[in-house]
Amino acid sequence: MIEELRCSVPDDQDLSQITPSQTLAGQTHQFRVNGIEYTVRIDRVRIVAEGKTAWLRAMKEGLFKYPQYLNGVLDLGGGTAIARLITPDGTIARDYEKVLQGGTSQLASQIAGEVQLLGAEALIMDAIANGSFAVHAVDFRAAYDALLPRWVAGIRGELNTAWRSIESEYAQILVVGGSTPIFAPFVAGNLRYIIAPNPQFFALEGMHNA
């Protein structure tokens, strides 16, 4: 039996996102992993906003230099980029939640338009991840090199605009998610940003802190 299943969603106040997970509670489920059949009962489900588990883990591990202030989490995924500010007691500052221009999918879409690979965005994302920078024998490295700085600047610009009114009130921004490695070089040496170790799985590994 699973006493508590913890699920992370982009918006923990959106019923369309939390209801599918909540319906798992109080039921027995059968599934197969690597050819092995499992039967489990889920007692209860806890919904956690994306970014919260990363913040909890960062606080526990002492990654924030100024934990007594507001600190942020920027979760850069493949499909979404979400930024949240969280108070020292763990409360999400809802007025400053921000869904940004997009994760790597937006960069892939821009590259696809540049090199006439429309419809191959998923393959472009895979090629960025594996470092081949080629799809269907089309090398898109030049387009990637040109568009990546603009993608990063767009995310940082949106964030600066959204949080400008409280710029002096928050301390640092923890960056997590699968797209972190391509974002990180652009904030190297910037003390406001913290790049999480093993960023793709940092939040997932922090679920037990929720």
Side-chain angles (χ1 to χ4, degrees), residues 120-185:
E121 289 81 1
L123 295 176
I124 290 173
M125 291 171 66
D126 289 341
I128 291 173
N130 65 35
S132 65
F133 299 100
V135 172
H136 303 321
V138 176
D139 189 315
F140 61 81
R141 183 60 191 253
Y144 170 83
D145 288 342
L147 292 169
L148 178 61
R150 291 186 228 168
W151 175 76
V152 172
I155 291 173
R156 295 184 66 188
E158 281 193 74
L159 204 53
N160 289 339
T161 298
W163 294 350
R164 181 174 294 133
S165 64
I166 56 167
E167 185 174 4
S168 63
E169 298 177 33
Y170 71 91
Q172 293 178 291
I173 303 168
L174 177 72
V175 187
V176 300
S179 299
T180 300
I182 63 175
F183 180 91

Side-chain angles (χ1 to χ4, degrees), residues 10 18 32 40 50 64 69 79 86 104 107 109-111 122-123 143 146 157 164 171-172 174 194-195 206:
I18 66 177
R32 177 180 295 183
V40 299
E50 285 185 7
F64 291 120
Y69 295 107
I86 303 176
T104 316
L107 175 60
S109 179
Q110 293 170 349
I111 292 171
L123 295 176
R164 181 174 294 133
Q172 293 178 291
L174 177 72
I194 304 169
I195 303 302

Side-chain angles (χ1 to χ4, degrees), residues 5 9 14 27 49-50 55 61 69 77 84-85 93 96 98 103 105 124 143 147 179 187 197 203 205:
L5 177 66
V9 297
D14 183 345
Q27 299 186 44
E50 285 185 7
W55 178 89
E61 297 182 6
Y69 295 107
R84 289 189 163 97
L85 288 172
Y96 297 99
K98 181 68 177 176
S105 59
I124 290 173
L147 292 169
S179 299
V187 295
E205 292 168 352

Side-chain angles (χ1 to χ4, degrees), residues 27 38 45 47 65 67 79 91 98-99 106-107 112 126 130 144 210:
Q27 299 186 44
Y38 292 90
V45 173
I47 305 297
K65 190 174 181 179
T91 301
K98 181 68 177 176
V99 178
Q106 187 189 51
L107 175 60
D126 289 341
N130 65 35
Y144 170 83

